[in-house]
């Protein structure tokens, strides 16, 4: 009787634990974002009165933390548990969900480039509507201040009696440029960094999809050999 043993297909431990480790980090980042969002709502009294969400006068930046954190939490959970338990359903969910996000990002980028004038008009409309709630939401106020402070101009006394001065003198006291022009200026000045971030995120997404699909193939091959 031969002492040789048949060695069937195996699940790659490197891919398995790389996906697991990466998604553990992703999962905790999602929890952190959700925690920041819930803490911000708690500080504004929203959690003690859920109906007050609809009373906010403008866009609440906290929603960004909650939505991004929620997506990261779901993806991290699916990838982490799917890899650890070799669950093909969760791994497929992870790769499909990640693929949908990548497709939406790509579509949004193309549409933003093709319809940039329309996007700019909608951005003006959005900001003008939300500027009315400037004093109603501290998070919105901080976001608008951060955008305008890119001019490096100190706004003293809320611009009292400043509009009556010549425009050259106004610029030394108040922000004379709107949020949209400032955002465009920031985007032009940091185009390389922004492009690098988007390309890096896209490559990570593609890499994650490929690894997850590879692990699914390995698991299915092992199970088929049983």
């Amino acid at each position: 009787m031969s002492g040789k043993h048949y060695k069937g297909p195996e699940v790659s431990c490197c891919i398995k634990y790389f996906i697991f480790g990466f998604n553990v980090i992703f999962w905790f980042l999602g929890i952190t974002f959700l925690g920041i969002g819930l803490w911000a709502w708690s500080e504004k009294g929203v959690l003690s009165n859920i109906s007050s969400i609809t009373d906010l006068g403008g866009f609440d930046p906290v929603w960004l933390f909650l939505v991004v954190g929620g997506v990261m939490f779901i993806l991290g959970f699916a990838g982490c548990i799917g890899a650890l338990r070799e669950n093909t359903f969760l791994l497929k969910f992870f790769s499909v969900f990640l693929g949908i996000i990548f497709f939406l990002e790509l579509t949004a980028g193309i549409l933003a480039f093709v319809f940039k004038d329309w996007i700019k008009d909608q951005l003006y409309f959005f900001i003008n509507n939300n500027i009315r709630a400037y004093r109603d939401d501290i998070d919105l106020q901080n976001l608008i201040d951060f955008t305008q402070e890119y001019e490096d101009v100190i706004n003293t006394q809320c611009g009292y009696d400043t509009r009556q001065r010549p425009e050259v003198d106004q610029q030394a006291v108040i922000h004379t440029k709107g949020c949209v022009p400032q955002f465009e200026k920031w985007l032009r000045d940091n185009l390389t960094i922004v492009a690098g971030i988007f390309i890096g995120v896209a490559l990570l997404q593609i890499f994650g999809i490929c690894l997850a699909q590879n692990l699914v193939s390995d698991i299915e091959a092992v199970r088929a050999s049983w």
Side-chain angles (χ1 to χ4, degrees):
M1 183 176 180
S2 174
K4 294 182 180 180
H5 299 281
Y6 171 72
K7 188 176 182 180
E10 297 179 349
V11 175
S12 172
C13 290
C14 292
I15 295 178
K16 175 180 176 178
Y17 289 108
F18 181 84
I19 294 176
F20 171 75
F22 179 80
N23 281 283
V24 165
I25 297 173
F26 211 61
W27 193 11
F28 278 112
L29 284 174
I31 293 174
T32 302
F33 271 69
L34 286 172
I36 292 173
L38 293 174
W39 172 78
W41 265 2
S42 175
E43 288 293 303
K44 292 191 289 189
V46 174
L47 294 182
S48 59
N49 183 16
I50 299 297
S51 62
S52 63
I53 294 177
T54 57
D55 296 335
L56 298 176
F59 171 73
D60 188 355
V62 173
W63 280 110
L64 289 176
F65 284 92
L66 294 176
V67 172
V68 172
V71 170
M72 292 176 69
F73 178 84
I74 293 171
L75 273 176
F77 176 82
C80 179
I81 303 301
L84 184 64
R85 304 298 299 174
E86 298 182 4
N87 187 307
T88 56
F89 173 78
L90 287 177
L91 288 171
K92 288 178 180 178
F93 172 81
F94 170 80
S95 58
V96 170
F97 198 0
L98 204 57
I100 292 173
I101 293 174
F102 175 76
F103 176 76
L104 291 176
E105 290 171 348
L106 185 63
T107 304
I110 294 172
L111 291 177
F113 178 77
V114 174
F115 301 103
K116 55 186 176 183
D117 291 334
W118 181 83
I119 295 292
K120 186 176 179 179
D121 291 339
Q122 294 302 310
L123 192 56
Y124 268 113
F125 178 76
F126 174 79
I127 290 176
N128 287 335
N129 278 347
N130 281 276
I131 211 75
R132 299 170 187 167
Y134 178 79
R135 294 295 183 189
D136 299 335
D137 187 343
I138 186 62
D139 295 319
L140 180 61
Q141 180 178 333
N142 289 334
L143 180 62
I144 294 173
D145 287 346
F146 172 78
T147 304
Q148 289 197 317
E149 282 169 4
Y150 187 64
E151 290 182 65
D152 295 328
V153 179
I154 300 174
N155 190 336
T156 59
Q157 297 182 356
C158 295
Y160 176 74
D161 202 29
T162 303
R163 299 291 291 176
Q164 298 179 12
R165 305 178 188 179
E167 186 174 351
V168 176
D169 295 335
Q170 293 178 17
Q171 294 177 0
V173 181
I174 64 173
H175 301 299
T176 58
K177 295 180 181 179
C179 293
V180 175
Q182 282 307 108
F183 176 72
E184 291 177 334
K185 182 177 184 298
W186 179 87
L187 200 57
R188 287 194 301 269
D189 293 346
N190 300 275
L191 187 59
T192 304
I193 297 175
V194 173
I197 291 173
F198 274 99
I199 292 172
V201 170
L203 290 176
L204 276 177
Q205 290 173 327
I206 295 172
F207 186 59
I209 293 171
C210 292
L211 283 181
Q213 288 300 314
N214 194 305
L215 184 57
V216 168
S217 299
D218 286 351
I219 294 171
E220 290 178 342
V222 170
R223 291 176 179 174
S225 66
W226 289 351

